[in-house]
Amino acid sequence: MYAQMVDTGANKVRGLEEMSAQERAFQERIDAGIKIEPKDWMPEAYRKTLIRQISQHAHSEIVGMLPEGNWISRAPSLKRKAILLAKVQDEAGHGLYLYSAAETLGVSRDQLVDELHAGRAKYSSIFNYPTLTWADIGTIGWLVDGAAIMNQIPLCRCSFGPYSRAMIRVCKEESFHQRQGYDLLISLCRDGTAEQKAMAQDALNRWWWPALMMFGPSDAESVHSAQSQAWRIKIFSNDELRQRFVDQTVPQAEYLGLTIPDPDLKWNAERGHYDFGAIDWDEFYNVLKGNGPCNRERLRARRQAWEDGAWVRDAAIAHAEKRAARTAQAA
Ligand code: BYC
């Protein structure tokens, strides 16, 4: 496994012979499928890579609540409102497991949140697009949660114990999220009116390419993939997961009677996969630089929520301090 990984991706990975004895023993544990736990020795770069990826993932969950939260008050029925509320609440829970997993690596949640609010930490590009209609809610569940599951199921087997265990629960919930999105689209496309189906097609037209971008840059451009795969922080490459997602999603679009907005999409019998058109990487990097349609709005909303919640944090700390003082007095 390790030997196959050394030459893939844009970055290079050191061979076992170039490592210190401690690093070699660490790599051999990973190659043997043994989980790394927070108190184990680990190379500083492994720790930093995990903090980067897990915190970006946590931020994505929290920022990801915003586009969907936007529709809670406008859901078309009590049932749909209850489902959407539960889903958005789940995303908050995912953020919390992930911040906790990152904290086991010696960083505090306050530090991570500061990085996000200062605009220095990334979160998934997908959440910088607006949710214009109710069909966007179904499409996010279908495509965005579908892409998230494709990326995250392998992470249940990643090398870092707390991250892999958090992912097991997250994936169970994400699969419910994907199903609810697809169910919503079935209502619009198969049982709905022509206008409702057109609304679903419009949502697919806007979300398809950003969903493909969620998997990150192509393998040739991915900065971290080779090292992360060697460390089993990533199990599959960005392009491998993107291809799996396309292969899984095309028949689902056909069942809904929707057209994927890609004239180059076609089944390639020789490869046993769908070929698809070129991704607009300029758009992707532009969103990463902070220039997507909603980047500023998302950060503004997160900072505001943090400020509005200050009194809750202060009250919780005051309560904890009072209890600790009382316990000390009684002892
Ligand atoms: N958006 O070398 P690469 C979800 C960055 S949402 C923004 O390939 P890596 C959900 C990348 O960080 C999904 N940035 O990086 C929530 C790096 O920049 P830095 C969240 C991106 O880390 C609510 C640079 O581009 N899922 O779950 O090896 C509702 C070069 O990329 C993106 C996760 O976070 C992007 N799309 O691979 C519904 C899963 N792509 O850090 C759903 C865990 C790349 O050097 N994360 N970049 O400044 C991963 O699997 C990996 O971090 C990625 C990127 C595949 C995303």
Side-chain angles (χ1 to χ4, degrees), residues 92-105:
H94 299 173
L96 297 187
Y97 314 149
L98 287 161
Y99 284 127
S100 299
E103 281 182 313
T104 68
L105 291 154

Side-chain angles (χ1 to χ4, degrees), residues 8 18 27 71-72 77 126 166 169 175 186 194 217 232 247 255-256 264 269 276 298 300 303 319 324 330:
T8 58
E18 295 168 81
Q27 186 63 53
W71 279 88
I72 291 173
S77 68
I126 194 78
R169 177 142 177 206
S175 95
I186 288 177
R232 290 182 68 83
D247 291 347
Y255 181 77
L256 293 172
D264 296 324
F276 54 95
R298 299 292 183 238
R300 208 171 31 241
R303 287 191 198 114
H319 179 69

Side-chain angles (χ1 to χ4, degrees), residues 42 55 72 96-98 114 130 144 186 273 283 286 307 309:
M42 61 186 78
S55 62
I72 291 173
L96 297 187
Y97 314 149
L98 287 161
D114 277 352
V144 175
I186 288 177
H273 293 291
E283 175 181 326
N286 206 30
E307 282 167 25

Side-chain angles (χ1 to χ4, degrees), residues 11 24 33 38 45 62 73 82 103-104 134 151 157 165 176 178 188 191 208 222 228 232 236 242 271 316 321 324:
N11 59 345
R24 203 175 315 129
I62 299 297
S73 60
E103 281 182 313
T104 68
W134 175 246
N151 168 281
R157 292 186 281 125
R165 291 188 285 273
F176 150 74
Q178 198 269 355
L188 294 180
D191 310 328
W208 175 252
S222 169
S228 288
R232 290 182 68 83
F236 297 105
R242 190 168 12 246
R271 286 200 314 121
E321 282 172 352

Side-chain angles (χ1 to χ4, degrees), residues 42-104:
M42 61 186 78
E44 190 51 20
Y46 176 85
R47 195 180 73 85
K48 285 203 168 128
T49 300
L50 276 171
I51 291 175
R52 180 184 62 78
Q53 180 167 318
I54 300 174
S55 62
Q56 285 176 3
H57 194 166
H59 300 326
S60 303
E61 300 284 354
I62 299 297
V63 177
M65 295 166 74
L66 296 170
E68 291 180 294
N70 189 31
W71 279 88
I72 291 173
S73 60
R74 287 176 286 162
S77 68
L78 180 61
K79 181 180 142 198
R80 291 289 177 197
K81 191 193 282 272
I83 293 171
L84 185 58
L85 261 173
K87 177 185 192 292
V88 172
Q89 215 164 8
D90 283 353
E91 310 297 0
H94 299 173
L96 297 187
Y97 314 149
L98 287 161
Y99 284 127
S100 299
E103 281 182 313
T104 68

Side-chain angles (χ1 to χ4, degrees), residues 52-53 56-58 60-62 64-65 68 87 91 94 122-127 140 144-145 148 151-152 155 163 174 177 213-218 221-225 228 234 238 284-285 288:
R52 180 184 62 78
Q53 180 167 318
Q56 285 176 3
H57 194 166
S60 303
E61 300 284 354
I62 299 297
M65 295 166 74
E68 291 180 294
K87 177 185 192 292
E91 310 297 0
H94 299 173
K122 289 195 171 75
Y123 57 86
S124 184
S125 49
I126 194 78
F127 300 117
I140 288 180
V144 175
D145 289 273
N151 168 281
Q152 288 167 26
L155 292 177
Y163 192 27
E174 295 291 13
H177 297 170
M213 292 173 197
M214 280 178 73
F215 294 94
S218 69
E221 297 298 324
S222 169
V223 187
H224 304 292
S225 279
S228 288
K234 282 169 94 165
N238 300 354
F284 172 74
Y285 286 112
L288 259 56

